[in-house]
Amino acid sequence: ASLSGFDLDVDVSAVRVNETTNQIDWSVFVENNGPDAAPGEIRVTVRRPSSNTLSSPVAPTGWTVERPSDGSFVFVRSAQLAADGTARFTLSTTAATSFDGLVSLSVSVVGADGTVVEAISSNNSDSATIRLTGTGSGGGAALPNAGSDAWFPVNLALALLVLGLVLRSVAFRRRQASA
């Protein structure tokens, strides 16, 4: 059976932490895994983390930035995104230098024209978290996590399956060689 439709995938990661100002620079990557083009309108929503401000949104050509009153950003593309098409967005969050806690950036992507349904929707959201210690004087940020990956359990199971097959093949060959 062949897959039809489109598959938008989003990943978010922290790319730089300024430990003095508690500013975190983020990268958001959207890809259409296909096999078909994703129809416009495509919306990438970045929700404002509590106790933080969002700033400096940069969108690639063909995208606009909306700023709803809740302090979030919405990157919008009215045209379709081709199969294997990608877009990278950047933005920053800033917390007060006295902020002590986790900064989690949550992102989601939606694309539809009302008649086409996305092939796989489990990869339409992601988040990443940074720990700030509120020192405001350097050394106050922890390394980012890898974000959430809905396919991690599947990838892990496949990797273990392949490893098991390789080990079984090696054991079989050793038995053949000793016989």
Side-chain angles (χ1 to χ4, degrees):
S2 66
L3 185 65
S4 65
F6 62 96
D7 174 26
L8 292 174
D9 184 6
V10 64
D11 292 298
V12 61
S13 60
V15 293
R16 187 178 71 83
V17 177
N18 183 323
E19 299 168 353
T20 303
T21 63
N22 280 351
Q23 178 175 317
I24 305 168
D25 295 335
W26 303 88
S27 175
V28 177
F29 184 76
V30 173
E31 180 175 19
N32 177 12
N33 296 318
D36 299 326
E41 170 174 282
I42 300 168
R43 301 176 71 80
V44 179
T45 302
V46 180
R47 287 171 286 291
R48 181 183 64 82
S50 60
S51 304
N52 283 255
T53 57
L54 285 172
S55 62
S56 308
V58 177
T61 302
W63 295 78
T64 60
V65 181
E66 295 178 356
R67 298 178 186 212
S69 61
D70 65 359
S72 61
F73 289 145
V74 181
F75 298 98
V76 181
R77 179 180 177 94
S78 58
Q80 71 179 16
L81 184 61
D84 299 321
T86 62
R88 182 171 305 279
F89 311 90
T90 59
L91 57 119
S92 299
T93 57
T94 305
T97 55
S98 61
F99 180 80
D100 185 359
L102 299 176
V103 178
S104 293
L105 191 69
S106 297
V107 180
S108 62
V109 62
V110 175
D113 67 357
T115 61
V116 180
V117 177
E118 187 165 358
I120 300 170
S121 61
S122 60
N123 55 0
N124 285 20
S125 63
D126 194 25
S127 64
T129 303
I130 297 286
R131 170 124 176 98
L132 296 174
T133 61
T135 62
S137 59
L143 294 174
N145 69 10
S148 61
D149 184 353
W151 287 99
F152 177 77
V154 174
N155 291 335
L156 179 61
L158 289 173
L160 291 173
L161 176 65
V162 169
L163 178 62
L165 292 173
V166 168
L167 292 174
R168 186 176 183 134
S169 175
V170 168
F172 178 77
R173 288 183 184 173
R174 283 186 180 167
R175 276 185 270 144
Q176 291 287 339
S178 65

